[in-house]
Amino acid sequence: MTQKLFSTAIIGAMLASCSVFDGARNSSGGSAGSSAGSGGSVGSGSIGSGSFGNKRSEEEIGAAKTAVVDNRGLVPVIKSAKLDRTKDGYILRVIGGVDRTGYYDVELVARNFGEVNADGALIYDFRANVPNPGIDVPTERSKEIYAGVFIPIDIYLVASTISVQALQNNLRVTR
């Protein structure tokens, strides 16, 4: 008897949660729901436009492009850069040279929101947080940091040059 009551309560809770999501999907009005229908339809089993998990439309993504100040410093030197082909694009792998260990939050940050500029160049800044004070290390391998970024095939085909900027040098990869 207790087991049947417990299972009935669980099933009731599951059904109640489903009806909440159906209500959110059907009562979203004309805001994001209509945009999602034109940009990419929401599947029948997915959560509606009024809750998490929904893809934003292109209009919303375009409006969200605002410049963010990045307080990380540029990595001192770029030692090498390499492009590796994947099924959907390329992976740009960069090795930087530093004077001590402890650099963190290393990233290739795209300029111009990751789009090609007027000269046909796709430019990345090689940024990292500098350690304070850090430890001097004896080996060359310990003085290297690594970063990578995925470049979609449609962006890669438009770019004539891919450039990575460091503090003391920059490296260009041409197609």
Side-chain angles (χ1 to χ4, degrees), residues 122-134:
L122 184 60
I123 303 172
Y124 291 94
D125 290 333
F126 195 6
R127 295 196 172 271
N129 279 324
V130 181
N132 193 10

Side-chain angles (χ1 to χ4, degrees), residues 8-22:
T8 303
I10 290 178
I11 291 173
M14 288 177 19
L15 290 174
S17 68
C18 291
S19 66
V20 168
F21 286 118
D22 281 340

Side-chain angles (χ1 to χ4, degrees), residues 22 29 32 48 67-68 71 73-74 85 93 95 129 134 140 149-150 160 162 164:
D22 281 340
V68 177
N71 293 328
L74 290 171
R85 177 85 167 112
R93 300 174 197 266
I95 300 174
N129 279 324
E140 284 302 312
V149 67
F150 175 76
S160 59
I162 299 170
V164 182

Side-chain angles (χ1 to χ4, degrees), residues 83 90-94 107-110 124 147-151 162:
L83 277 172
Y90 288 83
I91 297 175
L92 175 62
R93 300 174 197 266
V94 180
E107 185 179 9
L108 291 171
V109 180
Y124 291 94
V149 67
F150 175 76
I151 302 171
I162 299 170

Side-chain angles (χ1 to χ4, degrees), residues 39 56-63:
R56 295 184 291 170
S57 67
E58 289 184 27
E59 296 84 29
E60 290 172 337
I61 293 171

Side-chain angles (χ1 to χ4, degrees), residues 98-104 129-139 141-145:
V98 294
D99 55 347
R100 57 186 181 245
T101 62
Y103 280 81
Y104 62 99
N129 279 324
V130 181
N132 193 10
I135 301 170
D136 292 333
V137 289
T139 64
R141 175 91 178 182
S142 300
K143 294 180 182 181
E144 293 179 345
I145 57 175

